[in-house]
Amino acid sequence: MSFDHSGHGGRRRLGRRGFLRFGLAGTGAVLAPGVLSACASPAASDDPRALRVWDLFSGGDGLLMDEMIAEAERGADGFRIDRTILEWGPAYYTKLAMAAAGGRAPEVAVLHLSRLAGYAPGGLVEPFDLGLLAEFGVREADFPSAIWQRAQYEGEVYAVPLDTHPFIFFYDLDLADQAGLLDSDGQLVEMGSPEAMLEASAQLAAAHGSTGVLFGHVNDPSQNWRMFNALYAQTGSTFGLPDGGEPEVDIEAAARVIAFMQQLFDGATNPNNLDYDGATAAFTGGRGASIMVGEWELPTLRANGRPLGAAPYPNVFGQPAVHADSHSYVLPRQENADPERRREAHRYVADMLKRSFTWASAGHIPAYQPVIADPEYAALDPQSSYAEAGETAVLDPPSWLTGSGSNFQVRMSQAMQSALLGNASAESAAQQMVRESAALLDQPNPVA
């Protein structure tokens, strides 16, 4: 581990040896031969507008990103983007951290905001210059506070959110109307209590003739955690994972949440044994009235032409909260960053935020609020009906061991799976989550 004296608050830099420990402990990734050399390609040109950008967007998201970049490359001051798409998950985060530890990272990269706690403390990403962002029309007031706060570390901003992508509630509009669950504006009524949500589920099942709410979780690495994280935050409790300490979890509240999940997916009104693809296929095939899933499934769910409504995840326990994450831009550490290219990196990030209406068509909520305020976005259906989820977004607990694609989410989801399948009590599942969290905290923090 080396120490940084570069004027960024004396943060500790993660050396190569420290990173290797981080990669193995934090992700379990196997480092493939040739990874380091792949990170070493220089910028393609002396033109500061030539930027290397890494992201994890494939499929429909990847095509939308292609479209946004093509627009950014047009004009006299257009950028020259060398885009590298890497498969998302532990391998992406291992490679990004390795490139930054070696000081040979791209000028810009995309990071799930929930992973920032594993990158900023070790100096693997650099802070943004807020003056430069403001010069290009991007300011703190342009973002939901729930997301902007998580973009900071020790008073500096290390990530600029492109979107919020929450776990939400999709439903068949006609069936929700038959069930009496739509208000005068055609939007889903508030729930407000576990009893109200269970009653709404029964009404949806009656309107459908079989199943009210679909949810796929079996053998899934994240789904149970996403639902739990929203509901647990709604109780007003916090899930603390202090470095070098013990998990700070309200076990009674956690058990209450899991017990509610067992009641909602009881195997009668709603199935309790679906996997992710099975639940999605059931909804698109008309075998359920609604589904709880991430908004990124919007293109799939609307493909069969069902009248589709959407709402933020229902407020069941009193305090509005929606599990979410945010694709965010970061400036990975470079050993000899070119000031002109770094300035252009700021301009590029600002430019992409302003083009995020295109990004919204896939279902993601633009983090840049001027896009949300545009009447063109208000006309997006059903996207605009769940845009408020960005205001109540709850990410993973801030810790180096958490975040999208992390082993933490896997172990939390596994602990709850037995309870939902009827093989364990809610109390024992909550206790198992605490034990699993303690075991993860016992691992050495590579950025401490």
Side-chain angles (χ1 to χ4, degrees):
M1 193 84 68
S2 59
F3 199 81
D4 173 37
H5 297 281
S6 63
H8 294 148
R11 293 179 302 281
R12 280 167 287 196
R13 296 286 188 195
L14 194 65
R16 180 64 55 87
R17 180 174 299 176
F19 166 69
L20 289 173
R21 180 161 60 90
F22 171 56
L24 294 174
T27 69
V30 176
L31 304 181
V35 166
L36 285 176
S37 60
C39 301
S41 59
S45 167
D46 291 334
D47 185 343
R49 296 173 301 164
L51 302 174
R52 294 168 299 165
V53 179
W54 285 11
D55 68 51
L56 34 66
F57 303 127
S58 58
D61 282 355
L63 294 175
L64 290 174
M65 184 54 63
D66 280 342
E67 183 179 337
M68 293 165 65
I69 291 174
E71 289 290 332
E73 290 179 323
R74 292 186 182 135
D77 62 347
F79 298 96
R80 298 173 58 192
I81 301 301
D82 179 5
R83 181 186 178 203
T84 298
I85 306 168
L86 299 164
E87 184 178 2
W88 104 273
Y92 176 81
Y93 287 112
T94 297
K95 189 168 184 177
L96 179 60
M98 178 174 279
R104 295 179 291 182
E107 283 71 36
V108 178
V110 169
L111 182 94
H112 282 93
L113 194 56
S114 62
R115 303 292 296 238
L116 187 64
Y119 286 73
L124 295 174
V125 292
E126 300 284 0
F128 279 87
D129 183 327
L130 297 187
L132 270 181
L133 285 176
E135 181 180 334
F136 299 125
V138 172
R139 298 171 178 80
E140 176 182 350
D142 295 325
F143 298 88
S145 60
I147 294 297
W148 187 257
Q149 289 172 7
R150 288 294 299 265
Q152 301 177 51
Y153 172 69
E154 292 189 345
E156 294 188 281
V157 173
Y158 282 82
V160 175
L162 172 65
D163 66 32
T164 306
H165 48 280
F167 187 81
I168 65 171
F169 188 57
F170 287 104
Y171 52 91
D172 183 305
L173 270 170
D174 291 343
L175 293 178
D177 191 23
Q178 292 178 37
L181 296 175
L182 301 184
D183 62 19
S184 57
D185 295 325
Q187 301 297 313
L188 194 72
V189 299
E190 293 285 338
M191 299 300 160
S193 70
E195 294 76 18
M197 183 66 225
L198 293 172
E199 177 61 23
S201 164
Q203 291 170 316
L204 284 168
H208 177 260
S210 175
T211 299
V213 185
L214 296 161
F215 173 60
H217 72 98
V218 175
N219 295 328
D220 189 89
S222 305
Q223 284 283 88
N224 286 331
W225 169 253
R226 289 167 179 155
M227 184 174 294
F228 172 88
N229 197 34
L231 292 167
Y232 182 76
Q234 290 179 8
T235 69
S237 303
T238 56
F239 202 110
L241 297 170
D243 284 350
E246 295 295 322
E248 297 170 353
V249 181
D250 183 333
I251 293 183
E252 182 179 346
R256 186 153 51 102
V257 165
I258 298 169
F260 167 74
M261 292 166 66
Q262 289 176 311
Q263 287 180 285
L264 184 59
F265 304 104
D266 60 357
T269 304
N270 303 309
N272 65 343
N273 59 353
L274 296 178
D275 62 17
Y276 191 100
D277 290 340
T280 305
F283 185 81
T284 57
R287 300 191 297 279
S290 66
I291 184 170
M292 293 176 169
V293 73
E295 47 72 22
W296 51 88
E297 292 295 347
L298 174 61
T300 299
L301 299 183
R302 73 187 341 172
N304 70 347
R306 285 187 87 171
L308 192 64
Y313 191 86
N315 179 9
V316 174
F317 286 103
Q319 182 168 308
V322 177
H323 172 84
D325 209 331
S326 167
H327 298 121
S328 300
Y329 285 112
V330 294
L331 305 172
R333 172 182 174 265
Q334 294 182 317
E335 189 67 37
N336 297 298
D338 178 344
E340 287 302 313
R341 209 178 295 270
R342 180 58 58 87
R343 175 185 174 82
E344 287 299 292
H346 282 71
R347 186 169 72 89
Y348 172 75
V349 169
D351 188 277
M352 295 301 279
L353 296 183
K354 295 172 186 175
R355 300 181 189 281
S356 56
F357 177 78
T358 299
W359 195 237
S361 64
H364 306 315
I365 304 171
Y368 187 61
Q369 295 301 287
V371 174
I372 296 287
D374 193 303
E376 190 177 23
Y377 182 82
L380 272 184
D381 183 35
Q383 290 93 323
S384 59
S385 62
Y386 58 80
E388 64 185 89
E391 301 287 345
T392 56
V394 177
L395 279 63
D396 278 16
S399 169
W400 66 270
L401 57 85
T402 64
S404 291
S406 67
N407 193 30
F408 171 79
Q409 289 194 354
V410 173
R411 293 171 75 162
M412 295 302 102
S413 293
Q414 288 175 340
M416 284 180 274
Q417 178 174 299
S418 294
L420 265 63
L421 291 175
N423 300 322
S425 68
E427 292 76 14
S428 65
Q431 292 166 353
Q432 180 66 20
M433 292 171 71
V434 174
R435 287 195 295 272
E436 295 288 347
S437 297
L440 290 168
L441 283 170
D442 282 343
Q443 298 179 13
N445 178 352
V447 294

